[in-house]
Amino acid sequence: MADAKEEQRRDRLDDLMLTVARGRIAIGAAAFVAPGLTVKLMGMGGGPSDRSSSGGRPPGPRLRVGRSSLRCGPSDPGRDYVTRMFAAREIALGAGYLLSKGSGRKLWARLGLVVDSLDPVNGLRSRPGLPLWVAAGAVGVSGGTAAIGAAKVARDIVR
């Protein structure tokens, strides 16, 4: 009976790690393809400096979604470059985990844990310049993935 419960717990944790890896690839791909829109949707762009003097609307291209549209602000090569670096990191971590097995997968889990442990620190350090909901969301998501990764790494060490 105890073995069945342990196996079920193991499967849930593995399923969570696979979900995190797939999420990394999805977010990374979106950020790579549309860095301006990604930053905007994360709440980290589109502030007062992005507003034009005519009508208070931000300049820049629109993305049509059904009947509404999203403005992704003016092109910012520096922002786009850094966002695409984040995207590459997420794609690499997600794909590395999904494509590996055994000891390789354990290594990718540890690498993800390092990254996910540093992200909440960065979110807290950036808090004064971000809206509370943005900082809380970023710290919550990265802290949650760090907790999942820590559970996986701990289980791998014990086994």
Side-chain angles (χ1 to χ4, degrees):
M1 185 76 160
D3 290 335
K5 285 188 177 184
E6 180 63 29
E7 186 66 29
Q8 188 178 17
R9 263 189 245 120
R10 188 172 305 143
D11 290 345
R12 282 189 207 140
L13 187 54
D14 290 337
D15 288 346
L16 282 171
M17 288 296 292
L18 291 171
T19 300
V20 168
R22 289 180 190 114
R24 285 184 190 280
I25 293 170
I27 289 170
F32 196 85
V33 171
L37 181 60
T38 302
V39 169
K40 175 94 170 161
L41 291 174
M42 292 176 140
M44 296 185 188
S49 62
D50 288 346
R51 303 276 176 208
S52 68
S53 58
S54 61
R57 290 187 150 173
R62 285 186 181 202
L63 173 68
R64 283 256 180 240
V65 182
R67 293 183 178 178
S68 61
S69 65
L70 298 169
R71 288 190 180 274
C72 54
S75 178
D76 181 342
R79 175 206 60 207
D80 292 352
Y81 177 71
V82 171
T83 303
R84 286 188 174 115
M85 285 184 355
F86 157 79
R89 173 191 92 168
E90 292 301 305
I91 292 168
L93 287 170
Y97 188 83
L98 290 176
L99 296 173
S100 61
K101 300 276 184 222
S103 62
R105 186 166 273 188
K106 290 177 183 180
L107 176 62
W108 282 104
R110 290 176 181 179
L111 292 170
L113 175 58
V114 170
V115 168
D116 292 335
S117 297
L118 292 173
D119 284 346
V121 173
N122 185 36
L124 292 172
R125 290 188 58 151
S126 301
R127 167 56 195 114
L130 296 173
L132 179 59
W133 71 271
V134 172
V139 169
V141 169
S142 58
T145 55
I148 293 167
K152 169 71 170 153
V153 168
R155 192 190 73 200
D156 289 346
I157 290 171
V158 170
R159 282 201 287 163

